């Protein structure tokens, strides 16, 4: 249901619904992370709730029949879920488990600000060369297809419904249908490496007798691939600047004097510009990527300094070591965010916990004291999940708004999604603040926080640095060879960090079917296959959500 103006997130009944969904989402995230150690994607749940409300025969609820209202609903609930659980509760559990309750509040303040920055940066980076709107973003695609099917009906709705049914049954049988569905949506090269990584991790020990986790192979590969990926991002920014400068020079008459720095830098290519960014002649809507990355870098340095100040690290470390901590913590948080975002965009899976562990290991090698490691670990773990989730939501909105066909409408929709996400984050902050003490008192603590604390207490073996460096070299080479569009190194490392053999088989079988369908029926069948795949992902999400809720209820009885 297309409208001339996009619904506003912070007015009337929409605001009330988004606030209630945010409270609900925060409760879900906290409950499931503490009881089961997982955080489900609740986007589909938010959209379904909005659809059901729209069917209530009351005039003021009729507005929720709009797919854009439903998009705002799914954006709010998923932001609250990931924000409350991954960005807030998990980090503050680390100082609590270390017996340093005095560090909980400095950590909480720091990660709350980092979460807000996280979502805002993805909003600014969406539809750039690094995070293009055309990327897979599988959970976002699934949410959009579900919302469209509910609105339009017809054959596509039937295909989506079939996919949801297959997804529900497959997940019930133990097949990770989200991985299977993702195989039809993402870059084949990237997903192939992801699937290969999953299988290597699963079968290296039973088949070859090698525990690749014990020799730090996945961690080293991710370090090398992540550093090269960061250099590739910088290269893309420089390439974009060079292209814009060349285009501006070619377009300007030889006798015309330059009028301003902005014009020479590429302003002639812009059709419109406003608070949400700008649109160019190709229809892309984005902020200046270089400025966004600089903003993120500076903001993370400031937040790292605030955390160091609030936790009293200045009394525990020499001035050079304190400066090193601030800059490394900011760098680790920023790189963690980028790696998690890239993996999420291509595969729908992101190794947030594992990459935070990698930054912790490097911090230990740098010689930071335990208190500094606690703050570093929590700060790094807080960045990434909210970033990736915002990408899923914006992808769903982008599809529902017609893939950017109307730039002004797309800009406004993106702004409203940001408002919905920020509302959810702001509501998640007091929800966690007033509830974490009750959960921790009952020993309901995120399991991964216990892994971080155990790692800090155990220290690091002398040969770990050599292993990380050794495996970083092939990781860097693979990432370099694949280039920034395929992200082979990052996706291979992501798979190696996750122990899930069935997901690896599901991805590779899905890719094989995708190639067969494309070769036999061509592009005519691609659209239906993608809708069916989105249904599989949605079915997996629905089953996983309700199954997790049931398991959590049984566990806490």
């Amino acid at each position: 249901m297309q409208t001339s103006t996009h619904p506003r997130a912070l007015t009337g009944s929409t605001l009330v619904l988004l606030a209630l969904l945010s409270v609900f989402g925060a409760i879900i995230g906290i409950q499931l992370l503490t009881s089961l150690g997982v955080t489900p994607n609740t986007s589909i749940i938010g959209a379904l709730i909005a659809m059901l409300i729209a069917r209530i025969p009351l005039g003021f609820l009729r507005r929720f029949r709009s797919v854009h209202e439903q998009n705002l609903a799914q954006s709010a609930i998923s932001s609250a879920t990931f924000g409350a659980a991954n960005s807030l509760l998990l980090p503050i559990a680390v100082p609590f488990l270390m017996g340093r309750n005095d560090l909980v509040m400095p950590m909480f303040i720091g990660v709350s600000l980092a979460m807000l920055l996280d979502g805002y940066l993805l909003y600014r980076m969406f539809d750039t060369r690094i995070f293009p709107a055309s990327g897979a973003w599988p959970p976002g695609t699934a949410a959009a297809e579900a919302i469209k099917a509910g609105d339009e009906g017809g054959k596509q709705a039937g295909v989506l419904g079939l996919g949801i049914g297959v997804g529900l049954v497959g997940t019930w049988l133990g097949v990770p249908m989200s991985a299977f569905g993702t195989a039809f949506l993402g870059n084949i090269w990237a997903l192939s490496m992801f699937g290969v990584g999953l299988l290597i991790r699963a079968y290296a020990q039973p088949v070859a007798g090698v525990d690749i986790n014990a020799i730090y192979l996945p961690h080293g590969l991710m370090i090398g691939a992540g550093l090269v990926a960061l250099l590739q991002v910088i290269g893309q920014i420089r390439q974009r600047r060079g292209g814009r400068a060349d285009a501006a020079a070619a377009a300007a008459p030889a006798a015309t004097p330059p009028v301003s720095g902005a014009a020479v830098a590429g302003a002639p290519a812009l059709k419109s510009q406003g608070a949400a960014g700008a649109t160019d002649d190709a229809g892309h809507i984005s902020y200046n990527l270089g400025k966004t990355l600089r903003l993120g870098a500076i903001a993370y340095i400031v937040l790292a300094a605030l955390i160091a100040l609030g936790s009293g690290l200045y009394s525990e470390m020499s001035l050079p070591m304190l400066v090193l901590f601030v800059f490394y913590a900011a760098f680790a948080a920023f790189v963690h965010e980028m790696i998690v975002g890239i993996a999420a965009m291509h595969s729908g899976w992101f190794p947030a916990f594992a990459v935070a562990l990698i930054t912790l290991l490097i911090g230990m090698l740098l010689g930071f004291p335990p208190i500094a490691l606690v703050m570093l670990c929590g700060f790094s773990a807080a960045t990434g999940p909210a970033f990736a989730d915002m990408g899923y939501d914006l992808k769903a909105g982008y599809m529902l708004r017609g893939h950017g066909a109307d730039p002004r409408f797309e800009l406004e929709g993106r702004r409203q999604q940001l408002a919905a996400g920020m509302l959810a984050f702001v509501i998640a902050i007091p929800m966690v603040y007033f509830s974490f003490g009750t959960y921790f008192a009952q020993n309901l603590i995120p399991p991964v926080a216990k892994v971080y604390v155990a790692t800090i207490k155990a220290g690091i073996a002398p040969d770990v640095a050599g292993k990380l460096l050794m495996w970083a070299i092939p990781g860097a080479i693979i990432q370099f060879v694949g280039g920034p569009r395929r992200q082979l190194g990052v996706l291979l490392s992501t798979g190696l960090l996750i122990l899930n053999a069935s997901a690896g088989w599901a991805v590779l079988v899905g890719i094989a079917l995708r190639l067969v369908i494309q070769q036999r029926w061509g592009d005519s069948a691609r659209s239906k296959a993608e809708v069916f795949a989105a249904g599989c992902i949605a079915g997996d999400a629905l089953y996983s959500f309700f199954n997790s809720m049931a398991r959590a209820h049984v566990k806490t009885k």
Side-chain angles (χ1 to χ4, degrees), residues 23-46:
V23 171
F24 181 52
I27 292 172
I28 291 171
I30 295 170
Q31 179 69 19
L32 294 186
L33 186 66
T34 55
S35 59
L36 300 178
V38 299
T39 308
N41 189 318
T42 53
S43 291
I44 300 292
I45 305 302

Side-chain angles (χ1 to χ4, degrees), residues 300-319:
Y300 278 124
I301 290 172
V302 171
L303 289 180
L306 287 174
I307 286 177
L309 179 65
S311 59
L313 290 182
Y314 54 85
S315 64
E316 301 276 341
M317 307 164 72
S318 64
L319 181 60

Side-chain angles (χ1 to χ4, degrees), residues 22-40 42 77 79-90 92 108 427-440 442 444-447 549 552 556:
S22 297
V23 171
F24 181 52
I27 292 172
I28 291 171
I30 295 170
Q31 179 69 19
L32 294 186
L33 186 66
T34 55
S35 59
L36 300 178
V38 299
T39 308
T42 53
I77 191 172
S79 295
T81 301
F82 281 103
N86 299 68
S87 298
L88 298 178
L89 190 68
L90 170 61
I92 64 175
F108 184 72
I427 288 175
I429 291 171
M431 290 288 293
V432 174
Y433 176 77
F434 288 111
S435 64
F436 81 87
T438 302
Y439 278 90
F440 289 176
Q442 300 175 61
L444 290 172
I445 297 171
M549 292 292 289
T556 54

Side-chain angles (χ1 to χ4, degrees), residues 258-285:
V259 291
S260 72
V264 174
L270 298 179
K271 291 191 291 188
S272 64
Q273 191 166 358
T279 63
D280 59 24
D281 288 329
H284 294 287
I285 305 168

